[in-house]
Amino acid sequence: MDKKSTEAKWFKNTGFTLNLSLYLLALLIFISFSANVFSSSIKELKSQQITEILFNIHTYYVEDLALQNTTHTSYNNQQFAHLYAQLDPYSKYLDEHELNTLFDNTNGRYTGLGIEVKQINNSVTIVNVVSNSPAKSAGVMAGDIIISVNNQTTQNSTVEHVAQLITASKLSNISLTIKRDNQPQPLNFNVSRRKIKLESVTSQRLDLGSGYLAINSFSNHTLHEVALQIAAMQNHFGDPLKGLVIDLRDNPGGTLRSAVAVSDLFLQNGTIVTTKGRYNEANKAFYAKHGDILKGAPIVVLINENSASAAEILAAALKDNNRAKVVGSQSFGKGSVQSLIPLGDGSTALKLTTAKYFTPLGKSIEGVGITPDVAINQTTLSQSDKAVIIKNQQAKSKQTQLASKVTDLQLAKAKQLLNLQ
């Protein structure tokens, strides 16, 4: 495949704006809740691939890492590994499988079980189960601790190791053994892998003509989904919404373009975000265009410690432009921007931090996060918990019975600020 056709393929698959002069795909903002892991595939790279990666690090990486020479010809594997280890946790060589997975996630789909996991107290814990997923159908629940995958123990394992056990398996059905609170014995589930379409946006109608919008991630489809959900709520009421809660809790981020576009929906003017890096095209400012989809109706944004990157851009854009009140706990603090750089024939890539982003008031949130206007700490709520609380439904199962007993203090405060209580 020649370079031109490779670029065309990338543009089609991602929907990003392609910079033909630099062969950089448009800026990505992704979050990882674990430290950067030295990719095993890096050890198998050929000298030509290493030279290409070194050139891109030298040219585009946000920090000026000193290279031992400018021709990059005398680097051995040990020297290259030392330089690679100096990159931040979000920069990584992506092999063909990892690259395709990233494309799928950015386009709102992926092949898997439908679980989100996080390392909690040395255990790989399921923090969310996608609603239309095989895991949901099998009965897996948020809060379950994975103790084995296909009879291989995962105790004291990393999230990356567990993910590798699942993705590397040649079996279509994955055997999960989990530990669940209030269950004396481990539970076994056979979960089939399949392609899942991710819903990045859900909504519910609140009282007195207001709405609730949960944005779970920022994909290429998020802007369209947000507009559709708001239109549906307004059509139900027959009038523009009188207020809106935007729930960004546990939102790990997504693409910069999506975050900017969603922010622009609610702003009449002002700066949304700026980015700064070492090469010229990494230095950009994004401004709101005239037109507010809510026509000035009040907004409250909910964040927590797992709200990151693109979610933090939206929260800061609305907060700094005095468009919304932010309620919750300090956000994650991921303030760097990644570019996806094709390598070789385009089947692999380098995900490289090329810029840092700054809020409309010029603040970097890297390692700090967004400080809410109203600080309320509470236990993380899964999407199913949120739905039960908002709808105030009668509990119909053990899971919903548990969720219905949870008081969402942050949402209650948001409704109070919108004068719904």
Side-chain angles (χ1 to χ4, degrees):
M1 182 183 296
D2 61 31
K3 186 168 287 186
K4 185 175 181 180
S5 60
T6 300
E7 291 162 0
K9 174 188 174 186
W10 279 54
F11 180 80
K12 178 180 179 182
N13 284 352
T14 64
F16 297 139
T17 302
L18 188 62
N19 183 324
L20 295 178
S21 62
L22 298 177
Y23 303 114
L24 284 176
L25 291 185
L27 300 174
L28 300 170
I29 311 176
F30 283 96
I31 180 69
S32 171
F33 290 111
S34 58
N36 192 16
V37 177
F38 191 81
S39 173
S40 60
S41 54
I42 282 287
K43 301 175 184 178
E44 302 169 2
L45 290 177
K46 299 177 181 178
S47 60
Q48 182 178 356
Q49 293 171 299
I50 290 177
T51 299
E52 192 174 1
I53 291 173
L54 287 171
F55 171 80
N56 286 309
I57 292 174
H58 176 70
T59 307
Y60 303 122
Y61 187 60
V62 67
E63 303 290 345
D64 189 6
L65 298 181
L67 303 183
Q68 291 187 355
N69 59 73
T70 56
T71 59
H72 317 313
T73 56
S74 63
Y75 262 78
N76 58 38
N77 286 343
Q78 184 176 1
Q79 291 170 327
F80 174 66
H82 175 72
L83 176 70
Y84 187 85
Q86 294 180 52
L87 300 178
D88 69 0
Y90 311 109
S91 297
K92 186 178 184 292
Y93 166 78
L94 302 177
D95 61 25
E96 186 171 2
H97 171 74
E98 292 168 321
L99 181 58
N100 288 331
T101 298
L102 180 58
F103 280 151
D104 281 345
N105 288 341
T106 305
N107 284 300
R109 63 177 184 271
Y110 81 105
T111 299
L113 308 182
I115 56 176
E116 297 176 21
V117 297
K118 183 179 178 182
Q119 195 94 25
I120 301 176
N121 297 327
N122 295 323
S123 297
V124 176
T125 303
I126 298 171
V127 295
N128 191 31
V129 182
V130 178
S131 59
N132 59 334
S133 68
K136 184 76 170 181
S137 300
V140 178
M141 295 171 56
D144 289 346
I145 297 174
I146 301 176
I147 59 177
S148 77
V149 175
N150 291 334
N151 298 319
Q152 296 187 53
T153 182
T154 57
Q155 293 180 320
N156 298 319
S157 295
T158 63
V159 169
E160 288 77 16
H161 177 65
V162 173
Q164 186 178 29
L165 288 177
I166 295 174
T167 57
S169 175
K170 297 181 180 179
L171 301 174
S172 59
N173 289 328
I174 305 298
S175 175
L176 293 181
T177 303
I178 63 98
K179 178 183 178 182
R180 179 175 295 170
D181 285 345
N182 303 321
Q183 293 290 335
Q185 298 297 326
L187 302 176
N188 296 307
F189 297 92
N190 287 317
V191 186
S192 59
R193 285 187 301 192
R194 64 172 171 82
K195 185 156 287 188
I196 302 169
K197 183 178 180 180
L198 301 175
E199 292 183 347
S200 66
V201 182
T202 56
S203 67
Q204 297 291 335
R205 296 183 297 272
L206 300 178
D207 298 331
L208 303 177
S210 293
Y212 167 93
L213 193 74
I215 304 178
N216 307 316
S217 64
F218 287 86
S219 72
N220 290 336
H221 309 294
T222 303
L223 173 64
H224 179 67
E225 292 179 31
V226 167
L228 282 179
Q229 296 282 2
I230 290 177
M233 288 188 286
Q234 292 185 149
N235 288 338
H236 173 82
F237 290 124
D239 288 299
L241 291 176
K242 296 179 180 179
L244 181 67
V245 177
I246 302 177
D247 194 343
L248 300 177
R249 292 174 295 181
D250 304 317
N251 182 322
T255 66
L256 173 64
R257 185 176 73 174
S258 178
V260 169
V262 173
S263 300
D264 195 13
L265 279 179
F266 306 105
L267 294 171
Q268 287 277 20
N269 50 54
T271 302
I272 294 174
V273 66
T274 57
T275 62
K276 298 178 182 179
R278 285 198 303 119
Y279 76 102
N280 185 57
E281 294 193 24
N283 299 292
K284 294 183 178 181
F286 299 87
Y287 302 100
K289 297 182 289 293
H290 184 76
D292 176 359
I293 194 172
L294 295 182
K295 302 185 184 303
I299 300 173
V300 178
V301 175
L302 303 180
I303 61 172
N304 66 3
E305 66 278 5
N306 295 330
S307 305
S309 100
E312 292 172 298
I313 285 181
L314 174 57
L318 299 185
K319 178 185 178 184
D320 285 4
N321 283 289
N322 297 315
R323 184 64 186 89
K325 293 291 185 182
V326 178
V327 173
S329 53
Q330 196 82 6
S331 63
F332 186 83
K334 197 272 188 180
S336 60
V337 180
Q338 284 68 53
S339 294
L340 202 58
I341 307 174
L343 299 174
D345 64 358
S347 61
T348 61
L350 181 65
K351 180 162 69 76
L352 190 68
T353 296
T354 54
K356 294 185 177 180
Y357 75 77
F358 297 82
T359 70
L361 294 181
K363 297 180 180 179
S364 170
I365 59 93
E366 179 65 33
V368 178
I370 304 296
T371 301
D373 297 301
V374 181
I376 300 177
N377 293 315
Q378 70 179 30
T379 304
T380 298
L381 297 172
S382 70
Q383 294 302 318
S384 58
D385 291 341
K386 296 174 189 175
V388 170
I389 292 167
I390 294 159
K391 292 179 180 178
N392 195 26
Q393 292 177 331
Q394 291 284 336
K396 296 181 180 179
S397 66
K398 290 183 179 179
Q399 185 177 7
T400 56
Q401 285 173 5
L402 176 63
S404 65
K405 296 177 182 178
V406 180
T407 300
D408 190 339
L409 301 177
Q410 295 172 349
L411 178 60
K413 184 61 179 181
K415 293 170 72 175
Q416 184 183 46
L417 292 173
L418 292 178
N419 295 317
L420 299 181
Q421 292 183 343

